[in-house]
Amino acid sequence: STTGGMENGVINLSLRLPSEKIESSICTFEAGGDMEARLQRSNIKLWNLTKARGNDVTLPFRLAKILKKERIDVLHTHNWGTVVDGIMAAKLARIKVIHGEHGNVRHRWWHVVAQRIAWGRATRVLAVSAALADRMTRLVGFPRERISVISNGVDTKHFAPSLEPTEANRKRLGLPTEVFTIGMVARLVPFKNHAGAFRALAKVVNRGVPVNLALAG
């Protein structure tokens, strides 16, 4: 239900899988939001399992019941928010489970222990980049050879170079036309490390290099 890159990627993947071979369904732990509205316009089945605050011990059992009823073959979990409950439910339902990490690896000691155990129970563990896979091994101690890297795809029909001149595009966005400009597209949350971009920008500017940073998020 949250609007973010991971949620958008899950929906895009579900919408683009060959429907003649694979039937996709999505289960969320929180109802509502723009992402859910996208699914309502598709043929993808959506379940909302409301998760109680804190540790909801009933959630894996409720999810396993749905997995059995719907005769799901493979469950795909994503990030910390679904890894423990999802993998427990898959084991209860006796089905395969693929777990994917998208960037924010938890590194407190109890998170490390939980992730190491849960990832070890998954049929396959994925990361969206080699750098993330390396960080998973470094922070959690999970064997690097057991992590498969599948990079996020890009819809090149939707995201394509503009045919307009660069100067016209910059004027339309209110950007200077002659100064070297760096763009950063990310949610405005600490994990995306905008502070690091600001520090790098300051170092470059202090050396007398004219440069602009444009943020979208």
Side-chain angles (χ1 to χ4, degrees):
S1 58
T2 303
T3 300
M6 179 182 69
E7 292 78 12
N8 185 60
V10 169
I11 292 176
N12 286 341
L13 178 63
S14 300
L15 291 173
R16 286 167 172 75
L17 287 171
S19 57
E20 69 277 7
K21 296 181 179 180
I22 300 174
E23 181 179 348
S24 298
S25 304
I26 293 178
C27 179
T28 68
F29 296 161
E30 182 182 344
D34 295 337
M35 292 285 143
E36 187 170 313
R38 283 184 62 191
L39 291 174
Q40 290 172 350
R41 299 190 296 268
S42 72
N43 294 323
I44 295 175
K45 186 179 294 185
L46 174 67
W47 309 302
N48 287 312
L49 285 181
T50 303
K51 182 177 181 179
R53 287 182 176 275
N55 296 320
D56 186 347
V57 296
T58 71
L59 187 58
F61 298 96
R62 290 188 284 129
L63 179 56
K65 185 177 181 181
I66 289 179
L67 297 175
K68 290 178 180 179
K69 180 181 178 182
E70 298 293 330
R71 301 176 67 184
I72 301 298
D73 295 302
V74 178
L75 177 68
H76 194 173
T77 59
H78 301 268
N79 271 11
W80 170 257
T82 61
V83 60
V84 176
D85 297 311
I87 291 180
M88 284 181 62
K91 294 305 176 183
L92 289 170
R94 296 182 180 181
I95 64 172
K96 293 182 178 181
V97 56
I98 297 172
H99 179 70
E101 285 289 329
H102 297 253
N104 193 10
V105 179
R106 303 296 180 99
H107 51 80
R108 293 183 178 179
W109 72 265
W110 60 89
H111 290 147
V112 168
V113 172
Q115 287 171 134
R116 190 182 300 155
I117 294 173
W119 297 352
R121 301 295 186 274
T123 309
R124 184 67 59 88
V125 177
L126 309 177
V128 295
S129 71
L132 173 57
D134 292 341
R135 190 161 78 249
M136 291 164 66
T137 296
R138 185 175 70 255
L139 295 178
V140 180
F142 194 74
R144 179 61 177 82
E145 63 272 13
R146 292 191 57 188
I147 305 173
S148 300
V149 175
I150 301 179
S151 302
N152 284 330
V154 176
D155 184 349
T156 54
K157 292 183 179 179
H158 185 70
F159 297 100
S162 173
L163 298 178
E164 293 184 50
T166 300
E167 184 175 338
N169 274 320
R170 290 193 175 193
K171 285 182 177 179
R172 182 166 53 85
L173 295 172
L175 300 173
T177 57
E178 297 180 356
V179 179
F180 185 81
T181 300
I182 300 170
M184 181 176 181
V185 182
R187 287 183 295 124
L188 301 176
V189 295
F191 172 71
K192 297 299 182 179
N193 197 23
H194 291 83
F198 298 154
R199 288 192 294 269
L201 180 67
K203 289 182 178 180
V204 174
V205 172
N206 288 336
R207 292 179 181 178
V209 180
V211 61
N212 254 41
L213 174 64
L215 303 178

